[in-house]
Amino acid sequence: LSKDNALVKEWKDKQDRCEGGSDLSSLQSSLVPTCLINAQLHLLARDTEGGNRTSLVSTGCHVVAVIREAGNVDLHGTRVVVFRHESSGDLILSFRGTKTGKQVWTDLMMRKINVCLDDFLAHPHTKDGQTTNASHIEDMLTKGEITKVRLLDLIPKSGEELPSYLKDARKSGHNVSGIGQIHFGFWSSYNRVRRQIHNIVREELLARPGRLLLTGHSLGGCQATLCAYDMSRWVLPTVKRQMISLHAYNRAQLDSLQISCYTFGSPRVGGPSFAYAFKQVVPDAQRVVCDGDVITSGPPVYWGYYHVHHENIIDSTGTIRVEPRLIEKQFSLKKRNNPLAHKIATYLDVVKKSFSPHMSEEDLLRLLKKKYGLKEE
């Protein structure tokens, strides 16, 4: 009995020792519904090819749009589901994780591309010194006038004519500048759906202002990270300006235009300059990691890749460690070498365990004994 009580006390102490109270409160208020909804939307994005509007009664949401790549020219297999949470008014974008061969190939495009952190467009200098007009080439590809094209030529660049979705847009006042390096596959795949996202999000937020939530698992988490920076830099300021100019707003509606980013099992997205700029532009970001997830360990730091903030590691008992220190990662957390820990089902399992305040002590003891390797008496 004393051993059992000690186990319960240790579990409760572990919960109490979770650092960063405000971050944890924010995480707990959004993590479970976000993760559960993301899992359902992940499956929906995989299975929905016709752009059907599907009702998600169990989550209190309805689907606004299913976004595929421009002109249905599927180069990366990118899928995004946009839906509205009815009671809160949140507009949520869920990015599909790696499923197809095209997405695996996207993950492996690990060379970095230079991106201007101010306008969030690619640096104009290509490897061979030539520049191209991405919008023109995109239109030719969509119309079938060309069938082969370099992915680099489809990416909008600084110094070109601005893409249509940015011509009347306004940038945020964040003091970010310089060049950041971003994983080429993640950047290219996000830009394949960027125009549609800008247009849909602006239209939806003007019709019903609310929080914008970006979420995704695996590759989808990387795309959600890029989208969060893009939306905070360009879309939210543009929507606010339009609301003010139309006199169709009140203070509460303007204040509701916030952005949050919750990713699950996301690899590193870019270099240190991008990670630092992301922290300034998207302060409400939570990067959820299942303890031992091998995918979150790459691409490696010695290739110049860094994670964005804030890291939240959930172990097999459901304990959340917010921004754990290096020594804690080394001695109390698992090595990141487990591919099974990357599955969305595993994330759902550990997140549910972290939100089990009504679990009986008997069930809790049974779980703890199993996790600690103790035999049932």
Side-chain angles (χ1 to χ4, degrees), residues 14-270:
K14 286 169 71 181
Q15 299 291 354
D16 292 338
R17 287 199 303 269
C18 286
E19 298 177 301
S22 60
D23 286 337
L24 185 58
S25 176
S26 173
L27 179 70
Q28 287 182 324
S29 66
S30 300
L31 180 57
V32 162
T34 301
C35 192
L36 294 176
I37 289 170
N38 177 63
Q40 294 187 49
L41 268 290
H42 171 73
L43 296 174
L44 181 65
R46 179 193 68 184
D47 297 332
T48 303
E49 296 296 329
N52 297 324
R53 304 298 187 265
T54 305
S55 176
L56 298 178
V57 177
S58 62
T59 63
C61 304
H62 73 271
V63 174
V64 174
V66 179
I67 299 175
R68 304 180 66 187
E69 295 185 24
N72 292 330
V73 181
D74 214 9
L75 301 179
H76 291 284
T78 307
R79 295 290 184 277
V80 190
V81 177
V82 184
F83 65 107
R84 179 79 73 168
H85 188 253
E86 292 294 349
S87 60
S88 67
D90 289 350
L91 185 68
I92 308 176
L93 275 66
S94 179
F95 289 76
R96 180 174 75 171
T98 303
K99 175 177 173 57
T100 67
K102 291 178 181 179
Q103 290 177 302
V104 173
W105 184 242
T106 297
D107 292 332
L108 296 175
M109 296 178 182
M110 294 188 190
R111 68 184 178 91
K112 296 189 286 293
I113 184 172
N114 291 332
V115 174
C116 177
L117 297 173
D118 178 36
D119 56 22
F120 212 46
L121 296 171
H123 196 267
H125 301 295
T126 61
K127 186 175 181 181
D128 54 14
Q130 299 177 350
T131 58
T132 55
N133 190 301
S135 298
H136 178 62
I137 294 177
E138 177 73 58
D139 291 340
M140 293 175 64
L141 180 66
T142 301
K143 295 175 181 177
E145 297 176 6
I146 56 175
T147 56
K148 293 184 179 180
V149 65
R150 297 189 308 172
L151 290 175
L152 187 62
D153 293 339
L154 292 170
I155 297 175
K157 304 170 186 68
S158 295
E160 294 180 356
E161 180 183 358
L162 280 176
S164 59
Y165 53 86
L166 295 183
K167 285 184 177 178
D168 63 342
R170 169 176 287 188
K171 284 187 294 188
S172 69
H174 297 101
N175 185 24
V176 291
S177 61
I179 302 297
Q181 292 190 314
I182 294 175
H183 183 291
F184 180 83
F186 302 157
W187 180 252
S188 177
S189 61
Y190 171 63
N191 274 273
R192 294 290 298 143
V193 293
R194 191 176 180 183
R195 179 191 302 178
Q196 300 98 300
I197 289 175
H198 272 250
N199 292 338
I200 290 172
V201 171
R202 284 172 60 173
E203 180 181 343
E204 282 294 316
L205 290 181
L206 277 173
R208 186 182 177 186
R211 181 176 71 144
L212 178 62
L213 174 59
L214 294 310
T215 186
H217 170 256
S218 189
L219 167 62
C222 300
Q223 294 165 340
T225 299
L226 296 174
C227 186
Y229 188 101
D230 191 20
M231 297 294 102
S232 183
R233 191 73 174 131
W234 281 105
V235 172
L236 260 61
T238 302
V239 171
K240 289 180 180 179
R241 183 192 64 181
Q242 289 181 293
M243 289 174 63
I244 292 172
S245 65
L246 295 173
H247 303 285
Y249 74 97
N250 57 48
R251 176 53 58 183
Q253 289 177 320
L254 283 179
D255 292 341
S256 71
L257 290 171
Q258 304 293 331
I259 191 164
S260 300
C261 181
Y262 290 82
T263 64
F264 303 87
S266 173
R268 297 182 178 95
V269 177

Side-chain angles (χ1 to χ4, degrees), residues 11-12 15 352-365:
W11 181 83
K12 290 179 178 177
Q15 299 291 354
K352 287 176 181 178
K353 287 177 182 176
S354 70
F355 285 79
S356 302
H358 303 298
M359 180 183 290
S360 68
E361 290 202 354
E362 290 78 12
D363 291 337
L364 178 57
L365 280 172

Side-chain angles (χ1 to χ4, degrees), residues 217 290-295 334-350:
H217 170 256
C290 183
D291 192 19
D293 185 349
V294 64
I295 298 300
K334 297 177 181 178
K335 291 185 178 180
R336 297 193 181 181
N337 56 8
N338 184 5
L340 296 179
H342 185 63
K343 290 185 174 182
I344 188 66
T346 306
Y347 275 86
L348 283 167
D349 182 55
V350 297

